[in-house]
Amino acid sequence: ATASFIESRRRRRRNLQKVFYDESLSPEQALSEIHGEPLDTVENGSDEGEGDDDDFFKPRKADLETPTRTNEKNSFEEELERYNKKYEDSERLARLKYHFITGSLLDTQEK
Amino acid sequence: MSGTQMRRFKGCEYLTHRLVLATLSGTPIRVEGIYPNEADPGLKDYQISFLRLLEKLTNGSVIEISYTGTSFIYRPGNIVGGRVEHACPETRGIGYFLEPILLLCLFAKTPTSLTLTGVTSNNEDVGVDILRTSVLPFLQKRFQVGDEMELRILKRGSLPNGGGEVNFLCPITKVSLPPIRISESGRVFRIRGIASSTRVAPVLANRLVEAARGVLNPFLPDIFIYTDVRRGDECGNSPGFGLTLVAETNKGCSYAAQQCGEAGQTPEDVGSLCAQKLLESIESGGCLDQYTQPSILTGMLLSSEDVNSIVIGQLNITSELVTFLRDVKALFGREYRFKEFETGHIEMSCLGKGYLNINRRLQ
């Protein structure tokens, strides 16, 4: 039952059509829903299967307090550090090579 | 047109595209709640400047701004185009003014020659280099508007004093835009870029190039980054430097990234950050990047009455996109449809409006 509930919650979360056009959600709240930001901190207890779909998409206090990507204003140093950390991961860089034609060809030649 | 019911909006997020959509649909709009709680409430200087620009590009538009500036009414007129000159405030880049009206000018009465002065590149708005090397070629190719659509960078202007100048030439379209269906982004086969500098030593541009190549060379050998060093009358009043990178795929898509240097930042940091932003955009995938997305989505809406579809990456889903889609629904009554793939990419599709250029002169 828990698995089916999680699945249904995921499905509802992914109901993009509704989230994009639901005027009761601000664009930032809609973005949080789409990107799957934290949903567990609902103000009134747990979020287990209560309410219908409309309730599910209503703005909650937790969403209002969640900073969204577009509102983040990082300084240059913070941004540089974040990107440097992100792209020092060798596995990530290896996966990224898939997106380049020559990279994939070189991999094939090496094999 | 005067009989169309007025639409009300609250807040001024993504205001430029909302105004352009209102102009294209001929719908009067009332926007309320514009920064009402700030110390300096009401419309900002760049927003007023954009309204003035729309007024110059159209005939018969009426703009009524409230006493406090926190609300205004815009009744769009006919798009006339022609030769227009406009001075943009230094608070925003030229891209803020130019990017929303790229497609608007296609539906004008006469071909447009728009000269804009101000800041050509900053970190907040799309730079003119991205518009010239990524957005315009994509529009030309997908909407078949021809090579007459052109952007010339006459002067480069950096923050804080600007002084740059660009000239945008746009033909008119006599038929509906063709529908587009792009489902595969392909793989990157080459990267091009422009390292530009104004009123600083030319070596800074070379250092930008070296830093960017250091990040990108392990992925691809076909990288060419031009340097554009401007001095004297060729540039504005402030020193500055910046880098623009465009990655092209074998399926005709492109990803772009830009970064401008500010006081205290080294060209090495700026160059590597720009290259890493490009990698992030490529990694995110989809057939569009954040700079091309608004124009393409508008074009899909206006295209001939057929199904349009395009795949976008997770990185492109922003609050601006949500606002844009809601504005499209309010002003055109059209909704996009979404289909999510396991990769996290989203296919957006819509039925074109079959929008025709009703402003053009009959011959």
Side-chain angles (χ1 to χ4, degrees), chain B residues 41-159:
Chain B
L43 287 163
K44 307 294 181 197
D45 59 345
Y46 50 87
Q47 292 168 332
I48 292 174
S49 180
F50 188 78
L51 284 167
R52 297 272 176 260
L53 175 60
L54 273 185
E55 200 176 26
K56 289 176 184 175
L57 286 169
T58 55
N59 184 23
S61 292
V62 177
I63 301 164
E64 297 170 26
I65 302 175
S66 70
Y67 184 72
T68 56
T70 55
S71 67
F72 73 90
I73 291 172
Y74 172 63
R75 296 177 199 278
N78 296 322
I79 310 163
V80 289
R83 188 178 291 273
V84 176
E85 292 180 4
H86 185 72
C88 307
E90 279 80 34
T91 41
R92 295 301 290 256
I94 284 177
Y96 174 84
F97 302 89
L98 186 54
E99 190 266 328
I101 61 169
L102 291 177
L103 282 183
L104 183 81
C105 294
L106 278 176
F107 299 96
K109 183 178 180 181
T110 56
T112 306
S113 170
L114 174 63
T115 304
L116 295 170
T117 56
V119 177
T120 50
S121 302
N122 63 1
N123 287 327
E124 202 172 352
D125 304 300
V126 52
V128 291
D129 284 313
I130 287 188
L131 289 176
R132 190 173 67 86
T133 58
S134 177
V135 180
L136 284 189
F138 201 80
L139 292 181
Q140 285 168 348
K141 188 175 177 184
R142 299 295 175 183
F143 294 127
Q144 299 166 12
V145 291
D147 296 336
E148 295 159 33
M149 190 185 250
E150 189 183 352
L151 181 63
R152 296 174 184 157
I153 303 172
L154 307 175
K155 284 183 180 181
R156 287 187 182 276
S158 305
L159 283 171

Side-chain angles (χ1 to χ4, degrees), chain B residues 146-206:
Chain B
D147 296 336
E148 295 159 33
M149 190 185 250
E150 189 183 352
L151 181 63
R152 296 174 184 157
I153 303 172
L154 307 175
K155 284 183 180 181
R156 287 187 182 276
S158 305
L159 283 171
N161 295 324
E165 185 176 342
V166 302
N167 182 226
F168 173 58
L169 301 173
C170 184
I172 60 167
T173 179
K174 296 173 182 173
V175 293
S176 287
L177 299 175
I180 59 171
R181 290 186 199 95
I182 315 174
S183 56
E184 286 184 50
S185 58
R187 291 185 182 184
V188 176
F189 74 102
R190 71 177 177 191
I191 294 174
R192 296 289 178 263
I194 299 171
S196 60
S197 67
T198 58
R199 296 194 184 279
V200 293
V203 72
L204 292 188
N206 295 328

Side-chain angles (χ1 to χ4, degrees), chain B residues 84-342:
Chain B
V84 176
E85 292 180 4
H86 185 72
C88 307
E90 279 80 34
T91 41
R92 295 301 290 256
I94 284 177
Y96 174 84
F97 302 89
L98 186 54
E99 190 266 328
I101 61 169
L102 291 177
L103 282 183
L104 183 81
C105 294
L106 278 176
F107 299 96
K109 183 178 180 181
T110 56
T112 306
S113 170
L114 174 63
T115 304
L116 295 170
T117 56
V119 177
T120 50
S121 302
N122 63 1
N123 287 327
E124 202 172 352
D125 304 300
V126 52
V128 291
D129 284 313
I130 287 188
L131 289 176
R132 190 173 67 86
T133 58
S134 177
V135 180
L136 284 189
F138 201 80
L139 292 181
Q140 285 168 348
K141 188 175 177 184
R142 299 295 175 183
F143 294 127
Q144 299 166 12
V145 291
D147 296 336
E148 295 159 33
M149 190 185 250
E150 189 183 352
L151 181 63
R152 296 174 184 157
I153 303 172
L154 307 175
K155 284 183 180 181
R156 287 187 182 276
S158 305
L159 283 171
N161 295 324
E165 185 176 342
V166 302
N167 182 226
F168 173 58
L169 301 173
C170 184
I172 60 167
T173 179
K174 296 173 182 173
V175 293
S176 287
L177 299 175
I180 59 171
R181 290 186 199 95
I182 315 174
S183 56
E184 286 184 50
S185 58
R187 291 185 182 184
V188 176
F189 74 102
R190 71 177 177 191
I191 294 174
R192 296 289 178 263
I194 299 171
S196 60
S197 67
T198 58
R199 296 194 184 279
V200 293
V203 72
L204 292 188
N206 295 328
R207 287 166 63 186
L208 281 172
V209 175
E210 288 302 313
R213 291 190 74 99
V215 175
L216 297 172
N217 266 344
F219 298 97
L220 199 67
D222 190 359
I223 300 171
F224 198 93
I225 303 174
Y226 300 85
T227 54
D228 186 1
V229 179
R230 302 279 182 117
R231 281 173 290 189
D233 295 338
E234 296 173 320
C235 62
N237 312 316
S238 300
F241 58 90
L243 179 64
T244 300
L245 295 169
V246 179
E248 296 171 49
T249 72
N250 57 342
K251 298 281 184 184
C253 301
S254 64
Y255 305 100
Q258 65 171 13
Q259 187 66 37
C260 294
E262 291 173 3
Q265 298 170 3
T266 64
E268 285 75 19
D269 286 346
V270 172
S272 64
L273 181 60
C274 184
Q276 286 169 340
K277 280 185 173 178
L278 183 70
L279 290 181
E280 187 182 48
S281 184
I282 293 168
E283 194 180 9
S284 168
C287 304
L288 290 174
D289 62 14
Q290 55 175 320
Y291 305 109
T292 320
Q293 184 168 280
S295 302
I296 289 292
L297 291 183
T298 309
M300 284 166 65
L301 176 75
L302 303 176
S303 68
S304 55
E305 293 181 55
D306 203 344
V307 177
N308 295 261
S309 65
I310 197 154
V311 175
I312 64 169
Q314 281 279 338
L315 203 63
N316 291 357
I317 302 170
T318 59
S319 56
E320 284 87 356
L321 175 66
V322 178
T323 310
F324 174 81
L325 295 177
R326 290 178 182 180
D327 289 350
V328 166
K329 186 184 176 186
L331 293 165
F332 280 91
R334 280 282 155 94
E335 282 191 16
Y336 287 79
R337 300 283 162 188
F338 306 94
K339 182 181 167 190
E340 188 170 26
F341 298 106
E342 288 179 359

Side-chain angles (χ1 to χ4, degrees), chain A residues 10-54:
Chain A
R10 189 172 292 154
R11 182 171 50 78
R12 284 188 293 166
R13 187 193 293 177
R14 293 303 181 196
N15 193 346
L16 293 168
Q17 194 75 24
K18 190 165 185 175
V19 175
F20 268 113
Y21 290 107
D22 186 354
E23 294 285 344
S24 67
L25 293 177
S26 73
E28 286 75 22
Q29 289 164 348
L31 198 64
S32 304
E33 296 284 353
I34 293 161
H35 285 301
E37 302 267 330
L39 288 170
D40 299 332
T41 47
V42 182
E43 199 178 10
N44 297 322
S46 69
D47 56 350
E48 287 182 357
E50 289 176 2
D52 56 9
D53 280 7
D54 291 335

